[in-house]
Amino acid sequence: MDFAALMSKEISKAKPGAKAEEPSKKYMKRSEVEAERREKYLAEQRAIEAEKEAKLAQKRKREEEEAEANAAREEKRRKLAEESRRRREEQEAEEERARRKRLGLPELIKETSEEVEADDIKDEELFEKLRAMGHPAKLFGESHKQRLRRFRKLGTIMTTGPIPTSLELVEEKDMKVEKVPEDAEGKKFLFRQLASYFTMVLTEWESALEKEKRDTFASKAAYNAMVQSKENMTPLFRKFEKGDVDEGVLEPIVEIVKAAQERRYVDANDGYLRLSIGKAAWPIGVTMVGIHERSAREKLHESDKGHVMGDEVTRKFLQSIKRCLSFAQVRWPPEDIRQLMG
């Protein structure tokens, strides 16, 4: 080996970039192994999540397709029902025209469907609304147009209270009653006053029971009594709406409400007793001493008869009025303790 080759060899050893490539690592650190395992785990989780998302997307797509198919079927069923109803009404109208022509009766005026189509209601919804108002859902031979017209005549404006009513309720300051007026307008306002007063009492009664509601027998019995009173007083509200209240019942009710508003609960209870059982003497033993009955004898004490035995509906709402009095004397106690009912 000459001197030049030896010098070049030594110079190449002295250069830093001339190091030989290091061999591959035989051992790995624990942190590197953990990082590699973590990367592999995250990749697997991403693949699983992507698969789940794909399955959910397919499921949503199937549900949307099923919903669209169901909506299409419902629409088709509704159209078929409307078409069937229209054909049935046309057939019934044709039969009615033929019958009237055969009997020589004048032809009926053709009904216009513009009023019905402007604000039409489905039969199912119409049935529910009529039942909620306490009226029959369907009458014999009644068409959809006639049923809708009957529903509108009944009055769709119902108050949201314990007992829904079509009467316009008055404020508490206008509930004060005095006596039964003679004119029709005065009686209508009186019915609104009575309905407003009983609505106020029932509302306060219900809210008081809701605040003190417990899982005990006494609490459940009190709540059931309140619910039963609401149900039993519904016919009375319907009489108020129609203005069809017997004078023999209306005057004592006004007397009871007037005394209750003035917190004279003993006087109100006396009025209730006169209304319910009357003030005629109860027959015990011999009631007649003559052989022949006098003419018109039954009219002598006609005004003294009670109304509690008149019919079941009257008996129930009179008992409910008594329960309202019992609650009212607790909610609005009298200033004079002697006016508390026993």
Side-chain angles (χ1 to χ4, degrees), residues 6-233:
L6 183 62
M7 289 299 294
S8 62
K9 183 179 180 181
E10 292 296 332
I11 291 171
S12 63
K13 286 182 180 180
K15 289 182 179 180
K19 293 182 179 179
E21 294 183 358
E22 296 181 357
S24 60
K25 292 183 178 181
K26 188 175 182 180
Y27 302 102
M28 296 179 67
K29 295 180 180 179
R30 184 181 296 274
S31 60
E32 295 176 352
V33 174
E34 185 66 23
E36 185 178 354
R37 187 189 64 80
R38 182 177 179 81
E39 287 294 331
K40 188 182 296 184
Y41 172 76
L42 292 177
E44 292 177 356
Q45 292 298 318
R46 284 193 293 269
I48 293 173
E49 290 294 331
E51 186 178 357
K52 286 183 179 179
E53 288 293 334
K55 289 182 178 179
L56 287 175
Q58 292 178 359
K59 184 179 179 181
R60 283 195 295 268
K61 186 177 180 181
R62 287 196 302 269
E63 290 177 352
E64 290 175 358
E65 291 176 353
E66 290 178 1
E68 291 177 358
N70 291 334
R73 283 196 296 269
E74 289 294 331
E75 183 67 18
K76 185 177 180 181
R77 189 181 294 111
R78 186 184 63 81
K79 289 182 179 179
L80 289 175
E82 290 180 356
E83 182 68 19
S84 176
R85 186 182 65 190
R86 186 182 61 80
R87 290 179 180 177
R88 185 175 64 253
E89 290 177 356
E90 290 178 356
Q91 184 179 0
E92 291 175 356
E94 185 66 27
E95 292 176 356
E96 180 65 18
R97 282 195 295 269
R99 186 185 69 85
R100 297 181 72 86
K101 184 177 181 180
R102 185 174 65 254
L103 297 176
L105 298 175
E107 293 186 2
L108 293 174
I109 300 175
K110 188 176 181 181
E111 295 180 346
T112 59
S113 59
E114 296 178 358
E115 180 184 356
V116 177
E117 292 177 355
D119 190 16
D120 197 5
I121 303 175
K122 294 182 180 180
D123 275 337
E124 293 78 7
E125 185 179 356
L126 191 58
F127 291 158
E128 293 178 359
K129 290 185 177 181
L130 287 171
R131 290 191 183 102
M133 295 172 66
H135 291 272
K138 184 187 295 185
L139 298 178
F140 179 75
E142 187 180 41
S143 64
H144 176 73
K145 297 177 183 178
Q146 295 171 345
R147 192 177 305 114
L148 186 61
R149 192 176 296 110
R150 177 166 63 91
F151 170 71
R152 288 172 178 167
K153 285 182 179 179
L154 292 174
T156 57
I157 301 175
M158 304 291 286
T159 59
T160 56
I163 302 177
T165 176
S166 59
L167 292 172
E168 184 181 356
L169 302 181
V170 299
E171 297 181 359
E172 187 175 356
K173 60 184 180 65
D174 298 327
M175 293 181 189
K176 185 70 175 178
V177 297
E178 294 296 335
K179 61 180 182 178
V180 180
E182 299 294 336
D183 56 329
E185 291 297 328
K187 284 187 178 180
K188 288 182 180 179
F189 186 71
L190 174 64
F191 294 145
R192 290 173 55 194
Q193 288 177 312
L194 295 175
S196 303
Y197 176 74
F198 288 125
T199 299
M200 180 185 69
V201 174
L202 290 172
T203 303
E204 291 290 333
W205 192 3
E206 186 174 4
S207 61
L209 290 180
E210 287 292 340
K211 292 178 182 177
E212 301 179 1
K213 196 172 183 180
R214 296 183 180 88
D215 193 12
T216 59
F217 177 77
S219 177
K220 292 180 180 178
Y223 190 81
N224 292 335
M226 183 270 299
V227 173
Q228 187 178 9
S229 298
K230 288 197 301 184
E231 294 176 355
N232 294 340
M233 291 191 71

